[in-house]
Amino acid sequence: MCGIVGYIGFNEATPFLVDGMSKLEYRGYDSAGIAVFDGKRINIEKCVGRLDRLRDKIGAHVPTGTIGIGHTRWATHGRPSDQNSHPHADASGKFAVVHNGIIENYLVIKEDLIAKGHVFLSETDTEVVVHLMAELYNGDFEQTVKKVLKIIEGSYSLVFMCADAPDKLICTKKDNPLVIGLGEGENFIASDIPAIINYTRKNYILSDGEFAVVTKDSVWVEDRDGVPISKKVFEVYWDAEAAEKGGYDHFMLKEIYEQPQAVRATMSSRIAKDESTTIFNELNWVKDDLDNIKKIFIIACGTAYHAGIVGKYYIEQIAKIPVEVDIASEFRYRKPLVDESTLTIVISQSGETSDTLAALKEAKRLGARTLAVTNVVGSSIAREADQVIYTYAGPEIAVASTKAYTTQLAVMLMLAIYMGNIKNVLSSERSKELVHALHILPEQLDELLKDVTNIKEHAYRYKEAKDMFFLGRSLDYAVALEGSLKLKEISYIHAEAYAAGELKHGTLALIVEGVAVIVLATQHDVYEKTLSNIKEVKARDAEVLGIALAGDDSISKYVDHTIFIPKADKYTAPILSVLPLQIFAYYAAVARECDVDKPRNLAKSVTVE
Ligand code: M6R
């Protein structure tokens, strides 16, 4: 996720570009840059770090000109650095481009362009776009962009400028947002409305495949087949602060709704075209690499630890390697039996969690191979580990983790399939089934989010609850842990999660009339056992809310209320069943008037022991 802006009009471009980018920093903030045409050439100013660093760098020498583009970056390909910052330009300086998304086939294109003599200055996927422009340019800016779009694959929103055509910007999008703000004698482009809301309230929201030529007085839009479109003007009534949250009341809710896209981005380029397996080019493992691994430790904190527990089920069951999951703050002091035959996987959204970083260092010291799963490119954990898999969730602002968790689960499942196939312990039929289950997951997440009224009503109904219990077996238990953490962290309702079969060993004493119990029942192999546990709590007059797969006709006979999730494979079910729990926690917190995005006593990134 990155933020992009563009301006063309009668005013100086730079003030708008910098101001617009400041409203998009929630989309990324590891580097920033602008490109402005001064009448003769395109001048680019960019640097690693927050926007303030760019402001300082520009100082009094603000690039002048009335057409420009800008970018605030959240690194995916290539660590945060001056060279990897956008905009990118070709060698002649004729073209400049800003990009949000991932060009999946960039390596093939890059090799081809290098063979043709192009010299690349960055490690980014984006730079191929601008070199392709230079390679294919025949004097016609628009036609050249169209040729480039035929070659690149992946997800993107892109804004192009060309020194030969200083009266227009060209933009397009696929699977990433882009809006065009309509002014008088000036027009604006941005990844999101907050960047332009102070300049205009009239917008065109671009759809996938649409191609727009923006001048100061006009906006020409075509569909993917080149047919002109008359776009409907979308008028924004929100205030600037609400706009930053995309019209959502809180970042947490926005991030919940971003999950289909975050999971899609994390999986893109990691699923083989024939859907037979998953691919991790960043690992490039062969059978020997895995035969040497006798045991895996997964280490993390909080929500990431819960993702690790799901990961244990995936890896043990699919790749047949024994896994231990450790809380990072425990691992470092418990004298774990780790050696060269151990692979340590650390999971961390921020990549900066102090306990996780220290555990990673300890595992390395003991001789383990290390792999990090993190959302932040170039973070301390990413730098410390031998290898890294990035989740592409984009910045997570709310303290309560949501999209980081679901993308971590997607990575762990893809990793288990990858390992299972390399080790030859996964049948090709089951591998295909699992990859297909992943492939349809973003649509299922979308479907689930379409109507959450039912979940919201339950949350409001339980808002006065003093205690809540979350139960499940197997993978449902792992998700119950996350549901319980979500609820207590933002609504301050006391919540506990239990393996459903464990309740009778003590905790059942707390189940009395009216106590609220949420039971997950999505796992077929333990379904009957879960029903028995539901009967146990119902016999003590608990009020039970069940989470079950669509098409489950039995569950309603046993519980008081049910929330259905789309029918799914047992391994993708956790990535779906956690959503109702996130939404439940969110609305319970709203109903209790809690500070959802900044719960008391907590911080987003815990960099102290
Ligand atoms: O950045 P990390 O994933 O390493 O953070 C770990 C935990 O602090 C984090 O998951 C925390 O539990 C969340 N705020 C829970 O929503």
Side-chain angles (χ1 to χ4, degrees), residues 140-151:
D140 187 329
F141 182 29
E142 288 170 43
Q143 288 311 320
T144 309
V145 173
K146 285 181 181 171
K147 281 190 220 160
V148 168
L149 296 178
K150 286 211 171 88
I151 295 171

Side-chain angles (χ1 to χ4, degrees), residues 301-304 347-351 353 356 399-401 485-486 489 606:
C301 303
T303 290
I347 308 178
S348 172
Q349 186 283 129
S350 62
T353 301
T356 311
V399 165
S401 187
L485 176 63
K486 253 354 34 126
E489 116 176 272
V606 186

Side-chain angles (χ1 to χ4, degrees), residues 6-7 17 113 140 145 178 196 301 326 419 578 584 600 603 608:
Y7 176 83
L17 296 176
L113 288 167
D140 187 329
V145 173
L178 203 63
I196 45 186
C301 303
D326 263 73
M419 296 199 291
V578 73
F584 182 92
R600 70 184 175 213
V608 291

Side-chain angles (χ1 to χ4, degrees), residues 344-598:
T344 299
I345 305 177
V346 293
I347 308 178
S348 172
Q349 186 283 129
S350 62
E352 300 297 343
T353 301
S354 164
D355 286 325
T356 311
L357 181 59
L360 167 62
K361 288 182 177 164
E362 177 63 5
K364 269 181 96 172
R365 192 186 67 78
L366 294 169
R369 276 169 57 190
T370 55
L371 168 65
V373 176
T374 181
N375 195 33
V376 182
V377 176
S379 56
S380 306
I381 286 174
R383 280 183 277 122
E384 187 68 34
D386 299 329
Q387 291 186 292
V388 190
I389 298 175
Y390 289 111
T391 51
Y392 297 136
E396 198 177 57
I397 310 281
V399 165
S401 187
T402 52
K403 60 179 180 170
Y405 175 78
T406 39
T407 54
Q408 285 159 358
L409 262 48
V411 162
M412 295 314 286
L413 181 50
M414 288 191 290
L415 186 63
I417 299 169
Y418 176 71
M419 296 199 291
N421 278 321
I422 294 175
K423 285 189 74 199
N424 263 326
V425 292
L426 178 62
S427 74
S428 60
E429 203 176 60
R430 184 66 180 129
S431 180
K432 274 189 185 148
E433 266 174 27
L434 290 175
V435 174
H436 179 70
L438 280 167
H439 185 80
I440 60 172
L441 187 60
E443 285 101 88
Q444 291 185 310
L445 291 165
D446 262 328
E447 187 190 328
L448 202 157
L449 289 168
K450 256 184 211 135
D451 184 8
V452 300
T453 331
N454 182 22
I455 309 171
K456 182 174 174 180
E457 280 167 10
H458 289 308
Y460 272 81
R461 216 163 34 76
Y462 285 112
K463 73 173 182 157
E464 302 299 346
K466 294 262 173 304
D467 309 285
M468 281 197 82
F469 292 88
F470 289 72
L471 308 181
R473 282 174 176 261
S474 173
L475 281 160
D476 281 336
Y477 166 52
V479 177
L481 288 166
E482 176 58 8
S484 140
L485 176 63
K486 253 354 34 126
L487 186 67
K488 62 188 142 200
E489 116 176 272
I490 57 168
S491 77
Y492 317 142
I493 295 173
H494 170 243
E496 304 251 14
Y498 279 92
E502 179 65 10
L503 210 62
K504 57 185 173 293
H505 297 288
T507 312
L508 200 56
L510 296 176
I511 308 295
V512 292
E513 190 180 349
V515 165
V517 179
I518 295 187
V519 185
L520 291 108
T522 73
Q523 298 294 306
H524 275 296
D525 36 4
V526 288
Y527 184 75
E528 294 300 326
K529 304 273 174 213
T530 307
L531 290 186
S532 303
N533 300 126
I534 294 176
K535 284 183 205 158
E536 273 167 19
V537 293
K538 276 308 298 169
R540 275 83 191 170
D541 293 324
E543 189 177 332
V544 179
L545 171 61
I547 313 277
L549 297 175
D552 178 346
D553 301 326
S554 325
I555 191 87
S556 310
K557 286 184 242 146
Y558 298 89
V559 300
D560 299 289
H561 318 277
T562 319
I563 294 169
F564 289 106
I565 61 165
K567 198 166 181 176
D569 189 278
K570 64 183 272 192
Y571 293 129
T572 48
I575 311 177
L576 290 155
S577 62
V578 73
L579 263 69
L581 305 186
Q582 296 168 345
I583 296 162
F584 182 92
Y586 171 77
Y587 282 111
V590 170
R592 291 162 67 91
E593 296 179 7
C594 299
D595 188 346
V596 175
D597 284 338
K598 294 197 183 90

